[in-house]
Amino acid sequence: MSLLLDALRCHNLQRPPVWLMRQAGRILPAYQSLRKQYSLDELFQNSELAAQITTLPIDALGVDAAILFTDIMVIAKALGLNVQFVEGKGPVVDPLLTCANDVKKLRQIPVHEALETVQHTITLLKKELKVPLIGFCGGPFTVASYLILHQKWYASEPLVFHQLLTKITHASIDYLNMQIEAGVDAVQIFDSWANALTLPEFSQFALPYLKQIVDALKPTKIPVIVFCRDSSLRAQELVSIGPDGISFDWHQEMHILRKAVPPSIAVQGNIDPEILKAPLSTIKTAVEKLLGPMKNDPGFIVNLGHGVLPDTPLDHVHYFINLIKEYQ
Ligand code: CP3
């Protein structure tokens, strides 16, 4: 067993595990130098390189889990769409969906065909990794927001938008099942943009689809963590769909959030990523504030409240991870 998997089952009796969202890309010099040689598209499409990047933070930072190096938007390929990762911009889907007919025309391509590279990357990783491997997908609402031209489409044509969300959800379930069959030990759903929705909209356009994914994966017994921006404002709703873990942002203290989450659901987070850019003394104070009331919680995973920021000094990240590992 491992600290991460024990914590996700809410029975970790040792120190809390620590990993960082976006730990595989962004901050490591070895990643930066690979980025000088290869485009992002090339890195995502090459299993050997993707596996190598996935393992970089394990050796360089000493984190307790690996997260697969790929992107939430590769799922577009399983919907028959063309996605490219444009320098400095992120994922670009072309052409974007603009009308009911575009949604109707979407045909799912089997994930084993469209996303075979990811399957192969996991197979390679499972041969060598000594820590658990986290697979992932995007939340259907977040994925949809990269596929469409008008961000408020859900307001003008809710039924069409629900059809789109349903198609993305089916592809996401197949995709996560494929990752699980290939060997991932846990999965996280990144519904990053769900904070663009009001609470009633969130309950209509984000939550039911997250629940469908969570429910569909129950038989696999692989733990599922859900993440969205502003999750601390949506704790009750996220609890209601029964995931194994909830990843929280930093707008509320973790020990207070903990009281809103039943002890059978793990909590993850929730250091403000900006803290890691601050002086070491500030990092230390933040860690003490987090771990003081939380360190003996059997279902607690240390992470940031969102991804590690690109220009975070590496020695600060090291310092942070070591503080967690040595905290008494
Ligand atoms: O640790 C890791 O980096 C693991 C792999 C990973 C990537 N994307 C690789 C990536 C993960 C978990 C993601 C998730 C992702 N992708 C999210 C959800 C998490 C979050 O941060 O909110 C979202 C919204 C995306 C979409 C996306 N992909 C954007 C907006 C961008 C551009 C800006 C950015 O975030 O870097 C990407 C490109 C992307 N995905 C990079 C990497 C390493 C680019 C980095 C580079 O230019 O080298």
Side-chain angles (χ1 to χ4, degrees), residues 201-213:
E201 289 167 348
F202 179 75
S203 297
Q204 214 184 327
F205 297 108
L207 209 54
Y209 300 96
L210 291 174
K211 181 169 178 350
Q212 277 185 41
I213 301 176

Side-chain angles (χ1 to χ4, degrees), residues 266-281:
V267 293
Q268 175 174 279
N270 70 342
I271 299 275
D272 179 346
E274 289 286 350
I275 296 267
L276 293 196
K277 292 201 209 164
L280 299 186
S281 57

Side-chain angles (χ1 to χ4, degrees), residues 21-26 31 35 40 44 67-73 85 87 89-91 136 142 146 190 192-193 227 229 306-307:
M21 287 188 263
R22 310 303 293 272
Q23 66 186 20
R26 291 189 167 172
Y31 172 74
R35 283 286 281 114
L40 264 183
F44 289 142
I67 179 153
L68 197 59
F69 183 79
T70 176
D71 190 81
I72 59 164
M73 287 314 297
F85 292 87
E87 217 59 39
K89 198 168 165 208
F136 67 90
T142 296
Y146 285 98
F190 288 91
S192 305
W193 290 110
F227 162 83
R229 290 189 201 186
H306 196 192

Side-chain angles (χ1 to χ4, degrees), residues 199-327:
L199 212 47
E201 289 167 348
F202 179 75
S203 297
Q204 214 184 327
F205 297 108
L207 209 54
Y209 300 96
L210 291 174
K211 181 169 178 350
Q212 277 185 41
I213 301 176
V214 168
D215 285 347
L217 297 187
K218 291 271 185 218
T220 69
K221 302 229 168 20
I222 292 292
V224 181
I225 309 167
V226 292
F227 162 83
C228 65
R229 290 189 201 186
D230 292 351
S231 48
S232 64
L233 304 175
R234 294 164 165 78
Q236 208 187 327
E237 287 74 16
L238 292 169
V239 164
S240 77
I241 63 170
D244 298 278
I246 302 175
S247 199
F248 282 113
D249 69 83
W250 56 94
H251 297 300
Q252 177 62 279
E253 285 174 279
M254 192 57 116
H255 66 100
I256 295 174
L257 288 164
R258 195 11 141 183
K259 296 196 182 85
V261 179
S264 57
I265 298 180
V267 293
Q268 175 174 279
N270 70 342
I271 299 275
D272 179 346
E274 289 286 350
I275 296 267
L276 293 196
K277 292 201 209 164
L280 299 186
S281 57
T282 308
I283 299 177
K284 187 154 191 259
T285 308
V287 166
E288 282 166 357
K289 223 170 144 207
L290 175 67
L291 286 191
M294 287 302 294
K295 72 168 173 164
N296 291 324
D297 190 302
F300 174 47
I301 301 154
V302 180
N303 206 314
L304 304 178
H306 196 192
V308 62
L309 296 165
D311 38 4
T312 307
L314 204 55
D315 55 329
H316 287 207
V317 182
H318 260 130
Y319 177 76
F320 171 71
I321 307 269
N322 289 336
L323 274 182
I324 311 287
K325 290 169 112 177
E326 287 155 15
Y327 189 87

Side-chain angles (χ1 to χ4, degrees), residues 9 44 143 156 169 316 326:
R9 297 193 172 98
F44 289 142
V143 171
S156 57
T169 302
H316 287 207
E326 287 155 15

